[in-house]
Amino acid sequence: MELAAQTWPDLGSYFETESLALVPVGSTEQHGPHLPEGTDHIIAESLARAAATSSGFLCTPTITIGVSPHHRQFHGTMWVDAPVFRDYMESLVSNLTYHGIDRVVFVNAHGGNVAHLREVGRRLHDRGEAFAIEWMWDESIPTLVSDLFEQNGPHGGPKETAMIQHLAGDLVREDRLEEAHEGGVTFPTDDSHRNGARVFYDCIDNSPNGVFGDQTDATAEKGERLFEAAADQLRELCLWLNEQPFEDLVAKPHV
């Protein structure tokens, strides 16, 4: 069920019996010369909608701009400062709790959002207001991702390329896959860590064109397998979370 497509009486009926919502969260940032800047929010929204449709749970509108200052050197990248993002997401969940939602799954597709969404979940959990968890699609199916691609990459690589080939193939610049591979790098690079420390902050410090891995290894068929497997994982997570008594999810009292 998509919140934005419902009337308020219909939503009232949902809130009478259900207390879970999916919130898709992505970014609008560079994904190399071959993928659209909406890559992350396209993936997040598609997975959230699929899981909501199969489970019957509520899906909110998508958060399309996240924490992406590390991609700012590339044209068109948009971002919000991390404290603003955290406060916004916390306020958004509090909005949902007002209507009766007490558990939320952040359907995330951008690595830069991870730590901040987990911090939001921590704040809400400590107040006993809601149980909000961050879910990252590729982390739900690591074995399949490794099996499908010889040279994977954390950003703009074959897994994201394959997903967009499947979800929005007309947005993929297929004639630039070789360019993306040749102008990018495998990950991690030799210069990214020294003596146990991560010694870079921005993507441009690692990759001239902003991507990692072998994009030529991606296909729409592989993307379909990734999508279906991740959507199944998300659905199962929602069903599990829905079954948990709320008192088991909130912070435990002092020992």
Side-chain angles (χ1 to χ4, degrees), residues 2-252:
E2 292 185 43
L3 186 152
Q6 306 302 315
T7 67
W8 70 262
D10 295 331
L11 289 167
S13 299
Y14 179 85
F15 295 134
E16 285 179 2
T17 58
E18 303 291 348
S19 60
L20 187 148
L22 296 94
V23 180
V25 191
S27 70
T28 299
E29 63 181 24
Q30 74 84 17
H31 275 77
H34 64 302
L35 290 180
E37 303 224 347
T39 288
D40 288 343
H41 70 250
I42 291 170
I43 293 173
E45 181 175 290
S46 299
L47 285 167
R49 285 181 171 179
T53 297
S54 63
S55 66
F57 293 121
L58 188 69
C59 179
T60 74
T62 304
I63 308 304
T64 60
I65 299 175
V67 183
S68 303
H70 48 295
H71 293 292
R72 67 189 185 277
Q73 288 88 353
F74 297 92
H75 301 306
T77 291
M78 302 184 71
W79 71 92
V80 293
D81 292 336
V84 175
F85 177 79
R86 291 193 296 266
D87 289 347
Y88 179 87
M89 295 305 299
E90 184 177 359
S91 179
L92 185 150
V93 175
S94 292
N95 174 295
L96 291 171
T97 65
Y98 177 83
H99 294 296
I101 296 297
D102 62 18
R103 57 206 74 194
V104 169
V105 178
F106 295 125
V107 181
N108 183 36
H110 172 49
N113 293 338
V114 172
H116 308 292
L117 291 173
R118 290 177 179 171
E119 170 60 21
V120 170
R122 161 61 68 182
R123 295 179 187 178
L124 294 160
H125 178 260
D126 288 353
R127 290 204 304 270
E129 184 175 351
F131 190 77
I133 52 176
E134 183 270 340
W135 177 84
M136 187 78 173
W137 73 270
D138 57 318
E139 293 181 2
S140 74
I141 50 170
T143 301
L144 179 58
V145 172
S146 296
D147 288 346
L148 288 180
F149 307 111
E150 291 186 15
Q151 238 179 49
N152 193 24
H155 182 76
K159 64 188 176 188
E160 290 185 324
T161 302
M163 283 284 268
I164 298 301
Q165 285 172 323
H166 168 58
L167 295 171
D170 58 320
L171 299 181
V172 180
R173 281 62 169 178
E174 296 283 350
D175 59 335
R176 298 180 186 172
L177 295 183
E178 287 284 354
E179 175 189 343
H181 183 212
E182 293 173 3
V185 295
T186 55
F187 191 86
T189 63
D190 292 337
D191 295 331
S192 63
H193 292 77
R194 291 189 182 276
N195 306 101
R198 174 172 159 165
V199 293
F200 71 95
Y201 284 96
D202 293 336
C203 182
I204 192 66
D205 296 328
N206 275 349
S207 175
N209 71 359
V211 297
F212 306 89
D214 184 2
Q215 296 76 15
T216 64
D217 201 19
T219 66
E221 290 72 24
K222 291 181 179 180
E224 184 177 12
R225 290 183 61 187
L226 293 173
F227 182 83
E228 291 180 351
D232 284 344
Q233 290 291 317
L234 179 56
R235 176 179 177 275
E236 291 300 317
L237 173 64
C238 291
L239 293 174
W240 171 84
L241 183 57
N242 185 59
E243 293 173 355
Q244 307 311 303
F246 187 67
E247 55 269 23
D248 291 346
L249 298 174
V250 297
K252 303 302 181 286

